Structure formats: C-alpha cells, structure tokens
C-alpha cells in the first residue's frame, strides 16, 4: 500500500465538471492499493495517518495531529501508485490490486479513518478526476505499508 499524504489548507475533487468532495484544513491522500495488501495494512496506514504530527502548534513547531486541529481528509484512490517503471518506459500496473477488490479495500481504509471521528470526503473510484489542493508548507509525505508495518 502506497499513500501520498499532503497537508493542505483546502482541497477538492472534481468529476465531470462537478465538485464531489471538498475539505478545508487537513490531508489530501492519494491511495494506492497493491495486490499484496491486507486488511492489517489498511488499519496500520489509517492509524499512522491519524497520529502523524504534521501541523504547527502555537510555537510554530510541527507537533499537532489532524485530530488536534480538527482537520478533514480528502481520500483519492490512485492505482497508478502501484506502478513499476524499472523496465522500459511504459509503466506497468501489474502490482495494483484488481479493481473490484481494491474498491472494497479502499472503502475499508476510509472507514478506518472515519472510526477516529475524522471527516473523510472521497472521489469516485475508477473515475477520471481533477484534484485541486492548496498544499500547506508544502508538506508531502510518501508512506508505504507492507505486512502490517510502515516502511
């Protein structure tokens, strides 16, 4: 499982010229589900994201979590994160989980986030989406979870 975590002042996702998800302060997550991922990986990723301290405290030190700032999450499924580009110039997506199961896992991942009381907006699974965000900092982190461990 690969996730790009972007701290934002705001973010929204547009499908067919219509905004379908929008947040203020929080994270935009680009979520790549891989064929070897398990439910344990989903839970571990959600736990880590909620506990990450990427927001400034009153002293300007990065020390607060998304829970502390009462932020929101815009979660976007992005199978292209499972790309392998080691061979040739055309990306291989063979590492991505098949779409039907990936959709189930993506929804479970979002439910794990919501279980913490974090508002979660989403895009549309397998749709062409435009994601717009105001990256705060900028702060962007790439997280990989395998076998229940953050790598």
């Amino acid at each position: 499982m690969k996730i790009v975590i972007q701290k934002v002042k705001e973010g929204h996702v547009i499908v067919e010229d219509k905004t379908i998800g929008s947040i203020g302060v929080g994270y935009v997550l680009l979520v790549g589900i891989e064929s070897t991922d398990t439910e344990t990986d989903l839970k571990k990723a959600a736990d880590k994201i909620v506990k990450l301290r990427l927001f400034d405290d009153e002293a300007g030190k990065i020390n607060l979590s998304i829970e502390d700032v009462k932020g929101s999450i815009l979660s976007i499924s992005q199978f292209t994160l499972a790309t392998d580009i080691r061979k040739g110039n055309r990306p291989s997506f063979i590492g991505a989980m098949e779409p039907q199961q990936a959709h189930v896992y993506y929804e479970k991942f979002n439910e794990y986030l919501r279980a913490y009381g974090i508002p979660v907006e989403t895009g549309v699974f397998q749709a062409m989406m435009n994601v717009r965000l105001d990256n705060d900092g900028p702060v962007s982190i790439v997280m990989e979870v395998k076998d229940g461990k953050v790598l």
Side-chain angles (χ1 to χ4, degrees):
M1 178 173 211
K2 293 178 185 162
I3 302 171
V4 177
I5 305 161
Q6 298 171 97
K7 183 176 91 168
V8 299
K9 293 181 180 179
E10 66 178 350
H12 59 274
V13 60
I14 300 163
V15 176
E16 296 179 0
D17 296 321
K18 182 179 176 189
T19 298
I20 59 158
S22 182
I23 64 165
V25 170
Y27 297 144
V28 170
L29 305 179
L30 305 177
V31 182
I33 309 287
E34 298 175 297
S35 60
T36 57
D37 290 337
T38 66
E39 286 193 47
T40 301
D41 296 330
L42 305 176
K43 177 89 170 90
K44 183 66 173 185
D47 292 344
K48 188 67 166 183
I49 288 165
V50 171
K51 300 301 179 190
L52 276 174
R53 297 184 303 169
L54 299 180
F55 295 91
D56 294 347
D57 63 17
E58 61 281 345
K61 184 176 179 180
I62 294 178
N63 199 30
L64 301 175
S65 72
I66 194 166
E67 290 178 304
D68 296 330
V69 300
K70 300 189 181 357
S72 302
I73 290 175
L74 177 59
S75 175
I76 306 296
S77 174
Q78 189 167 357
F79 81 97
T80 60
L81 288 173
T83 299
D84 183 349
I85 57 170
R86 293 176 290 177
K87 201 172 177 183
N89 295 317
R90 184 168 182 252
S92 169
F93 303 109
I94 198 163
M97 186 175 279
E98 63 87 17
Q100 186 175 0
Q101 184 64 33
H103 190 193
V104 170
Y105 272 38
Y106 171 67
E107 293 300 333
K108 284 182 182 184
F109 169 71
N110 291 327
E111 287 306 313
Y112 284 131
L113 294 169
R114 289 183 182 111
Y116 281 97
I118 307 288
V120 177
E121 296 278 320
T122 65
V124 175
F125 192 83
Q126 287 190 298
M128 291 298 295
M129 297 176 272
N130 290 347
V131 180
R132 297 190 181 158
L133 58 101
D134 184 355
N135 195 317
D136 188 10
V139 174
S140 297
I141 295 174
V142 178
M143 180 173 74
E144 188 169 354
V145 179
K146 286 277 182 242
D147 300 322
K149 296 178 184 139
V150 176
L151 304 179

